[in-house]
Amino acid sequence: MSTLTQQIQARAHRLGFELVGIIPAAQSETIARYQQWIENGYAGKMRYLERHLPLKTDVRQLLAEAKSVISLAMNYYTLDPPKPLAEDPARGQISRYAWGDDYHDIIRQRLSELVDFIKQTAETELQTRVCVDTAPIIEREYAQKAGIGWIGKNTNLIHWRSGSWYFLAEVLASIALEPETPPLRGSCGTCTRCIEACPTDAIVEPNLLDSRRCISYLTIELKERIPKAFRSKMGNLIYGCDICQEVCPWNSKAVPTDDPAFQPRDGNLTPTLLSLIGMTQQEFSQKFKGSPIKRAKRRGFLRNVLVAIGNWGEQRAVPALKKALTDDESLVRSHAAWALGQIGGTAAEKILQTQLTVETEHEVITEIQDALLEIAHSPRRNRNDA
């Protein structure tokens, strides 16, 4: 007869959780390192991480009765976009996890089904709490302790058989389950491909990420202007970044999921930049309803698209940038100015000069002035704009 632990694992697998490990609820063993990471400023403007710090010391801060932690991982790897599309600077790249439906909703529903199963099967009073990645828990630590992978040099959890394309989740339960920790296999060894490949040098040393330099942070979590030092290094990445996972040798073993929720939505796989830049708020809300991309909000997403257009550097983007330069959002206008400065030419220069006479926001005025200086000192200044 199978144990409750085995029954939970089997049910979790049927619900789409490929990796499952169960350990006793315990205090975090990495909380001091995590606190130091925050004190060093590596969390950037993510103030909520500091506010949540007391809750992350022990999972029993989230559920006082917790005796077990069920750590789970769900595969979201689908496919690789055709290389010509992925490398086309006229198209934007969206992080793979955001191609489909919002994983928070998908995983939370399946965790709820798992909890119902546990309560029915255990036949006892049970307190539980489900956690997706928004919960204040150092989930990679518990996942590693549960044996479902190790924390790689890029700070992602990696499984020896199938890589790192996983969403992590947890169920805290007030029942002492028999621990189940698969043998931990694999390591990063001497490999440093992720560190070397990062365009912004965000992985400052193995297992240490400076969020302030990370393109995922810059395009999603940061709500302000993207620092100019990083814009040209972002290429055509408009929401998140997968580079440190794409170069990881362990991901060569990744097997695509057939879960329809994570398959790419129409328009989320390398969309053309010019098809995105003119979106109204209503169009943005409709297009990204039920998608992780809505987290960036319209102003943040268009900011990212404008940086990618500036890096693309094509004159045919100038008409769209002229319109963006009069957007209601100052964040959009400021990055439109930067993009025009990167493209340069007489048309861009005239548009910027005209807008400078009517612009009232200080940060946008500064961006316009800097863009005009960029054009003035650019060797492209006297080229034929036609």
Side-chain angles (χ1 to χ4, degrees):
M1 185 176 178
S2 60
T3 65
L4 179 56
T5 290
Q6 291 171 330
Q7 292 179 66
I8 291 171
Q9 285 182 309
R11 181 63 173 179
H13 288 318
R14 287 199 293 273
L15 288 169
F17 295 102
E18 187 174 308
L19 309 175
V20 186
I22 301 174
I23 55 173
Q27 185 171 337
S28 167
E29 296 176 5
T30 63
I31 192 66
R33 174 180 166 85
Y34 181 77
Q35 183 171 357
Q36 187 62 56
W37 179 79
I38 291 176
E39 290 175 359
N40 287 344
Y42 291 143
K45 298 293 180 78
M46 296 184 286
R47 306 296 184 205
Y48 61 90
L49 295 182
E50 186 172 0
R51 292 196 303 270
H52 291 168
L53 189 61
L55 296 174
K56 293 185 176 182
T57 58
D58 193 316
V59 291
R60 288 165 291 196
Q61 295 288 340
L62 303 180
L63 181 68
E65 303 87 353
K67 294 181 180 178
S68 301
V69 178
I70 306 169
S71 187
L72 309 116
M74 183 172 287
N75 176 22
Y76 67 88
Y77 180 73
T78 50
L79 51 82
D80 294 317
K83 200 169 183 180
L85 296 184
E87 295 179 351
D88 183 353
R91 294 177 174 273
Q93 286 195 57
I94 294 170
S95 185
R96 187 185 302 269
Y97 84 88
W99 288 352
D101 297 338
D102 193 331
Y103 64 97
H104 297 93
D105 301 333
I106 305 301
I107 293 177
R108 197 172 285 116
Q109 173 60 38
R110 297 183 191 182
L111 290 177
S112 177
E113 293 180 39
L114 181 60
V115 164
D116 289 344
F117 172 81
I118 296 171
K119 288 180 176 180
Q120 293 169 5
T121 308
E123 297 181 344
T124 183
E125 286 293 320
L126 196 61
Q127 300 295 318
T128 62
R129 177 159 180 175
V130 300
C131 305
V132 193
D133 65 1
T134 54
I137 178 174
I138 307 180
E139 58 183 358
R140 282 169 293 184
E141 174 192 340
Y142 290 98
Q144 181 171 262
K145 287 166 69 174
I148 64 175
W150 76 91
I151 301 173
K153 291 178 182 177
N154 61 5
T155 74
N156 286 304
L157 191 86
I158 304 173
H159 187 265
W160 68 271
R161 189 179 62 244
S162 46
S164 63
W165 303 107
Y166 284 103
F167 295 125
L168 300 181
E170 300 78 34
V171 174
L172 312 182
S174 63
I175 185 172
L177 297 167
E178 181 181 344
E180 179 64 32
T181 54
L184 193 57
R185 297 175 57 177
S187 74
C188 293
T190 60
C191 179
T192 56
R193 291 187 191 180
C194 58
I195 298 173
E196 295 159 5
C198 180
T200 55
D201 298 319
I203 308 172
V204 294
E205 62 181 61
N207 305 104
L208 183 62
L209 181 79
D210 184 346
S211 296
R212 299 168 298 183
R213 305 181 68 90
C214 178
I215 293 174
S216 285
Y217 167 82
L218 294 170
T219 56
I220 302 171
E221 296 298 328
L222 184 66
K223 308 306 178 187
E224 306 164 2
R225 286 188 293 172
I226 294 172
K228 289 182 181 177
F230 299 128
R231 294 179 192 175
S232 62
K233 299 178 180 180
M234 291 168 55
N236 62 343
L237 300 172
I238 60 173
Y239 189 88
C241 177
D242 290 334
I243 291 173
C244 67
Q245 295 195 83
E246 288 169 346
V247 301
C248 178
W250 291 101
N251 278 329
S252 64
K253 301 181 177 184
V255 177
T257 178
D258 57 5
D259 195 317
F262 303 137
Q263 304 307 312
R265 289 183 173 189
D266 288 343
N268 278 7
L269 198 65
T270 64
T272 59
L273 296 172
L274 293 182
S275 71
L276 301 171
I277 195 57
M279 280 193 296
T280 63
Q281 180 60 59
Q282 183 178 3
E283 289 168 340
F284 176 84
S285 300
Q286 183 177 354
K287 181 177 179 62
F288 296 119
K289 183 180 181 181
S291 161
I293 296 173
K294 65 183 182 295
R295 179 171 177 79
K297 298 185 168 49
R298 173 187 177 271
R299 63 197 297 268
F301 186 67
L302 293 192
R303 170 202 62 186
N304 304 338
V305 172
L306 286 161
V307 170
I309 289 176
N311 290 330
W312 176 29
E314 281 290 326
Q315 283 289 322
R316 55 190 163 116
V318 169
L321 293 177
K322 179 182 179 180
K323 185 177 179 181
L325 197 59
T326 60
D327 194 89
D328 290 342
E329 294 282 359
S330 61
L331 186 69
V332 174
R333 299 199 302 276
S334 64
H335 287 75
W338 179 83
L340 283 165
Q342 297 303 298
I343 293 172
T346 303
E349 188 173 28
K350 287 180 179 178
I351 291 167
L352 288 165
Q353 288 172 338
T354 300
Q355 184 64 19
L356 187 58
T357 64
V358 297
E359 182 58 59
T360 58
E361 291 283 343
H362 175 71
E363 70 172 29
V364 184
I365 291 171
T366 301
E367 290 274 6
I368 292 174
Q369 291 171 335
D370 289 349
L372 286 168
L373 285 172
E374 178 74 23
I375 294 173
H377 293 97
S378 171
R380 297 173 294 182
R381 177 179 172 80
N382 298 316
R383 74 183 181 185
N384 183 352
D385 293 339

